[in-house]
């Protein structure tokens, strides 16, 4: 009975030490008699009891590592409080086991020294503008050394960049002054554009008025010319009709009678004025002579 119990216990111990189940995304390093023998991949594996042992267990997933905050000095001698986070992954379980006694601490320290070196090459303003460049340079510096530790550094991200209070106050003043400057420039540009618009409007209005006045003058001149032409044509037509009427039989006698009437009417108007002294011709043949002269003028018009 006791022997059976002992054999059962030995069997359990034997199975426990010989059968290993490795989880997914894990790697176990096996040592045989204190020497590296191999790496177990995910799944079921068998070991030699009391000879082989699992020396190291590594997680192959991406691991975030918080980098402690530290003070960095920029190129222009400004102190910055910087902290970040690093993402890495174990790619070689054997090197991760034997390349460094503690690769996590080694990566953390190397990240801090690399960050101080990179920020020391930049001025304060550039540290805020070139975060991507800083992150890339830190990753490159760590990745070169981490290859010997069986670790791949994936990326580094700066979480906070905190300058001293005095620098923050000065930066705030600078930002305020820059915004006020932009506001003044924008206002002056607005006034300038407004003046340009007003001048352009006045010029266009003046041109429009002058064009209107010019057109009005042209229209007036054309109207006057048309009026003069119409009067001249009417007078010409009247003269032509009078001349045509004179050529008709009895036309000359009608003209003589009309001229005589006009002469008598003129004498009567002069005589009706009390302030006018009327001198009557002694010989009325002079009136006939006047009518004869008028008729000669009419004949010449023919």
């Amino acid at each position: 009975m006791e022997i059976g119990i002992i054999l059962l216990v030995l069997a359990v111990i034997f199975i426990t030490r010989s059968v290993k189940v490795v989880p997914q995304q894990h790697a176990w390093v096996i040592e045989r008699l204190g020497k590296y023998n191999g790496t177990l991949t995910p799944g079921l594996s068998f070991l030699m009891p009391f000879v082989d042992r699992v020396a190291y267990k590594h997680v192959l997933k991406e691991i975030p590592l918080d980098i402690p905050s530290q003070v960095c000095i920029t190129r222009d001698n400004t102190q910055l409080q910087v902290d970040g986070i690093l993402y890495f992954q174990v790619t070689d379980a054997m090197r991760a086991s034997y390349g460094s006694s503690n690769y996590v601490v080694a990566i953390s320290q190397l990240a801090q020294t690399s960050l101080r070196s990179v920020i020391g090459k930049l001025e304060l303003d550039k540290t805020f503008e070139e975060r991507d460049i800083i992150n890339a340079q830190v990753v490159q510096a760590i990745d070169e050394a981490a290859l010997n530790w069986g670790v791949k550094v994936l990326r580094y991200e700066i979480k906070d960049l905190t300058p001293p209070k005095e620098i923050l106050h000065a930066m705030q003043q600078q930002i305020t002054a820059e915004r006020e400057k932009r506001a003044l420039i924008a206002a002056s540009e607005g006034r300038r554009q407004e003046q340009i618009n007003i001048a352009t409007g006045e010029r266009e209005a003046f041109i429009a008025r002058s064009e209107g006045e010019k057109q009005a003058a042209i229209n007036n001149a054309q109207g006057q010319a048309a009026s003069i032409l119409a009067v001249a044509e009417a007078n010409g037509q009247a003269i032509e009709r009078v001349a045509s009427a004179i050529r008709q039989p009895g036309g000359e006698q009608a003209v003589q009678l009309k001229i005589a009437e006009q002469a008598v009417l003129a004498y009567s108007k002069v005589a009706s004025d009390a302030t006018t002294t009327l001198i009557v011709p002694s010989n009325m043949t002079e009136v006939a002579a006047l009518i004869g002269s008028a008729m000669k003028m009419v004949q010449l018009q023919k």
Side-chain angles (χ1 to χ4, degrees):
M1 184 67 180
E2 294 179 357
I3 295 175
I5 294 174
I6 293 173
L7 291 176
L8 180 60
V9 172
L10 290 176
V12 172
I13 294 174
F14 181 83
I15 293 172
T16 303
R17 296 183 65 90
S18 61
V19 179
K20 300 294 182 183
V21 178
V22 181
Q24 184 67 32
Q25 286 295 92
H26 286 70
W28 293 359
V29 174
I30 304 303
E31 291 182 353
R32 177 168 293 176
L33 299 177
K35 183 180 179 181
Y36 172 74
N37 185 59
T39 302
L40 298 182
T41 57
L44 181 64
S45 300
F46 296 95
L47 304 179
M48 294 181 62
F50 307 103
V51 177
D52 296 339
R53 74 180 184 91
V54 179
Y56 301 95
K57 295 180 179 180
H58 298 286
V59 179
L60 303 182
K61 300 177 183 179
E62 183 176 338
I63 301 173
L65 178 62
D66 189 27
I67 305 300
S69 178
Q70 61 176 332
V71 176
C72 301
I73 299 177
T74 62
R75 185 177 179 180
D76 50 356
N77 296 324
T78 302
Q79 293 184 354
L80 281 177
Q81 194 78 20
V82 186
D83 62 347
I85 185 168
L86 182 71
Y87 297 87
F88 70 94
Q89 185 178 22
V90 176
T91 56
D92 190 334
M94 190 271 287
R95 288 189 177 184
S97 301
Y98 304 105
S100 174
S101 60
N102 191 333
Y103 60 82
V104 175
V105 175
I107 291 174
S108 178
Q109 294 297 321
L110 186 57
Q112 288 182 314
T113 57
S114 300
L115 182 62
R116 286 196 295 268
S117 176
V118 172
I119 291 182
K121 298 176 183 178
L122 300 174
E123 295 182 354
L124 177 62
D125 295 338
K126 295 295 183 181
T127 57
F128 296 99
E129 299 173 1
E130 300 181 357
R131 285 197 176 192
D132 293 338
I133 297 177
I134 296 174
N135 296 337
Q137 291 181 357
V138 171
V139 169
Q140 182 180 1
I142 301 173
D143 200 32
E144 293 177 357
L147 290 176
N148 296 326
W149 305 333
V151 175
K152 173 67 176 176
V153 178
L154 302 176
R155 60 188 180 276
Y156 177 82
E157 298 290 341
I158 295 176
K159 293 194 296 184
D160 290 316
L161 283 172
T162 307
K165 294 181 179 180
E166 295 80 6
I167 300 298
L168 284 175
H169 183 66
M171 292 174 64
Q172 187 63 40
Q173 289 181 336
Q174 181 181 1
I175 293 173
T176 302
E178 185 67 25
R179 290 178 178 175
E180 291 177 352
K181 175 184 174 182
R182 292 178 182 176
L184 291 175
I185 293 174
S188 63
E189 288 293 333
R191 289 192 297 270
R192 174 175 172 270
Q193 190 62 41
E194 180 184 4
Q195 293 174 357
I196 292 174
N197 293 339
I198 292 174
T200 303
E202 291 178 350
R203 181 172 63 86
E204 293 178 353
F206 178 77
I207 293 173
R209 286 194 299 270
S210 64
E211 289 292 335
E213 293 173 356
K214 173 184 175 183
Q215 190 61 42
I218 292 173
N219 294 338
N220 188 21
Q222 291 178 349
Q224 292 178 357
S227 176
I228 294 172
L229 181 61
V231 171
E233 290 179 352
N235 291 332
Q237 292 177 0
I239 293 172
E240 288 178 357
R241 290 182 179 180
V242 170
S244 178
I246 293 173
R247 295 189 190 99
Q248 299 297 326
E252 293 184 0
Q253 290 79 7
V255 172
Q256 293 177 1
L257 179 61
K258 186 67 175 178
I259 294 174
E261 289 178 354
Q262 293 293 330
V264 173
L265 181 62
Y267 276 114
S268 63
K269 287 183 178 181
V270 173
S272 63
D273 190 355
T275 60
T276 304
T277 302
L278 178 63
I279 300 175
V280 180
S282 60
N283 189 3
M284 293 303 293
T285 56
E286 294 181 1
V287 177
L290 178 62
I291 295 173
S293 298
M295 292 304 298
K296 288 182 179 180
M297 293 297 295
V298 170
Q299 292 175 358
L300 288 176
Q301 293 295 328
K302 292 181 181 181

